[in-house]
């Protein structure tokens, strides 16, 4: 009898913490989104067919600043960036910062590359660990990119496992170092590869600041759709331009 009572209370406690893990932002009414601009500093990322002006680390950072502004237009969300300038950070440093600010989710921004110039389109990588995976969020962002910009999203949402590191006794860890570090801290990560810098077909999606602004708006709409965020009443708010958002 005592054993059954104990097991009941244990199950209730586990259910409570599971709910906290998936809906943590509901406690104080604010969703905390940390945007991670990939690469930085001496880590340049992918190289574009459009030239050195379109290094991935630069595009990632610009897109992150624009996305921060776009998400700030919604109620119920707090947004932070892992880096605010062009410097290199380790995965552990990025994850530690996300944990410090109480991130509910980390959106890592990237652009892809391939030796095959015909390979193009967007994809979203999520954790293979069921405890920290958000495939529906990844799909929501991809759907928005497709609907708003026409980006090919055939690659879809996928997982990628490490070939050398174990997560536990039976499962391989995620390939992404950031995804692993965030997972160890209980934070889900969605890594969005917005298009291929090595594809001439995808050049139109990032070869101007106005296109990056549209890409950020699409990302924000995908995130907002997944979490049910509503736009603020901006009639009484201070209007801020994209350039001001990028420079601040």
């Amino acid at each position: 009898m005592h054993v059954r009572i104990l097991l009941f209370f244990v199950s209730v406690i586990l259910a409570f913490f599971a709910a906290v893990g998936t809906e943590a932002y509901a406690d104080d009414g604010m969703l905390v989104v940390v945007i991670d601009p990939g690469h930085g500093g001496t880590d340049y990322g992918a190289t574009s067919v459009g030239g050195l002006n379109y290094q991935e680390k630069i595009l990632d950072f610009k897109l992150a600043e624009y996305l921060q502004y776009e998400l700030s237009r919604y109620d119920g969300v707090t947004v932070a960036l892992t880096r605010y300038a062009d410097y290199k950070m380790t995965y552990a440093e990025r994850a530690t910062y996300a944990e410090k600010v109480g991130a509910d989710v980390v959106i890592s921004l990237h652009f892809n590359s391939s030796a095959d110039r015909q390979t193009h389109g967007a994809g979203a990588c999520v954790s293979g660990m069921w405890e920290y995976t958000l495939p529906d969020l990844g799909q929501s962002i991809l759907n928005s990119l497709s609907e708003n910009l026409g980006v090919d999203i055939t690659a879809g949402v996928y997982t990628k496992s490490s070939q050398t590191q174990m997560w536990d006794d039976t499962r391989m860890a995620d390939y992404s170092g950031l995804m692993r570090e965030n997972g160890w801290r209980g934070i889900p990560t969605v890594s969005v590869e917005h298009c291929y810098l090595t594809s001439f077909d995808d050049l139109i999606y990032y070869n101007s600041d106005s296109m990056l602004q549209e890409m950020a708006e699409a990302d924000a709409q995908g995130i907002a759709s997944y979490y049910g965020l509503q736009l603020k009443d901006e009639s009484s708010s201070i209007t801020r331009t994209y350039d001001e958002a990028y420079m601040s």
Side-chain angles (χ1 to χ4, degrees):
M1 180 66 177
H2 292 296
V3 173
R4 287 199 297 270
I5 293 174
L6 178 61
L7 289 175
F8 171 76
F9 280 111
V10 169
S11 64
V12 170
I13 291 170
L14 289 175
F16 170 77
F17 281 109
V20 170
T22 55
E23 297 290 342
Y25 67 91
D27 290 345
D28 60 4
M30 295 295 288
L31 170 70
V32 180
V33 176
V34 169
I35 303 168
D36 174 55
H39 308 285
T42 56
D43 179 6
Y44 295 93
T47 301
S48 168
V49 293
L52 294 179
N53 289 333
Y54 303 112
Q55 292 175 350
E56 185 185 359
K57 67 170 186 174
I58 297 173
L59 296 174
D60 291 342
F61 185 66
K62 280 189 174 184
L63 181 60
E65 290 278 358
Y66 291 143
L67 178 54
Q68 182 183 35
Y69 169 70
E70 286 295 338
L71 283 176
S72 73
R73 299 173 59 215
Y74 289 86
D75 274 322
V77 60
T78 299
V79 189
L81 271 61
T82 54
R83 65 179 178 92
Y84 286 87
D86 183 18
Y87 49 82
K88 187 174 181 178
M89 294 180 71
T90 66
Y91 297 132
E93 288 170 338
R94 296 169 194 255
T96 297
Y97 175 76
E99 182 180 35
K100 181 179 179 181
V101 299
D104 294 303
V105 64
V106 172
I107 308 294
S108 190
L109 306 182
H110 291 272
F111 291 81
N112 221 330
S113 66
S114 172
D116 182 0
R117 295 291 175 88
Q118 301 302 312
T119 303
H120 63 282
C125 185
V126 299
S127 176
M129 306 301 107
W130 63 266
E131 306 97 316
Y132 310 113
T133 191
L134 293 176
D136 290 345
L137 173 56
Q139 191 62 58
S140 183
I141 295 172
L142 291 182
N143 289 344
S144 185
L145 287 169
S146 175
E147 293 164 6
N148 289 286
L149 300 182
V151 179
D152 186 341
I153 59 170
T154 304
V157 178
Y158 57 91
T159 62
K160 187 174 182 180
S161 298
S162 169
Q163 299 301 307
T164 58
Q165 297 195 44
M166 298 293 294
W167 177 259
D168 52 29
D169 292 338
T170 60
R171 298 178 296 175
M172 299 301 295
D174 290 308
Y175 175 81
S176 165
L178 179 63
M179 209 166 282
R180 288 196 305 271
E181 292 286 347
N182 283 331
W184 288 329
R185 293 163 174 79
I187 306 170
T189 304
V190 176
S191 180
V192 184
E193 299 279 0
H194 287 81
C195 61
Y196 277 78
L197 299 187
T198 47
S199 167
F200 284 103
D201 291 337
D202 282 353
L203 183 61
I204 59 171
Y205 299 123
Y206 62 85
N207 65 352
S208 68
D209 283 351
S210 62
M211 287 306 299
L212 288 175
Q213 292 161 13
E214 291 188 32
M215 185 174 282
E217 186 174 3
D219 282 351
Q221 289 178 13
I223 295 168
S225 175
Y226 176 80
Y227 285 108
L229 304 176
Q230 299 297 318
L231 283 169
K232 297 174 181 176
D233 178 5
E234 298 183 330
S235 60
S236 60
S237 64
I238 298 174
T239 301
R240 191 163 70 147
T241 67
Y242 281 109
D243 287 339
E244 288 171 339
Y246 178 65
M247 294 303 293
S248 64

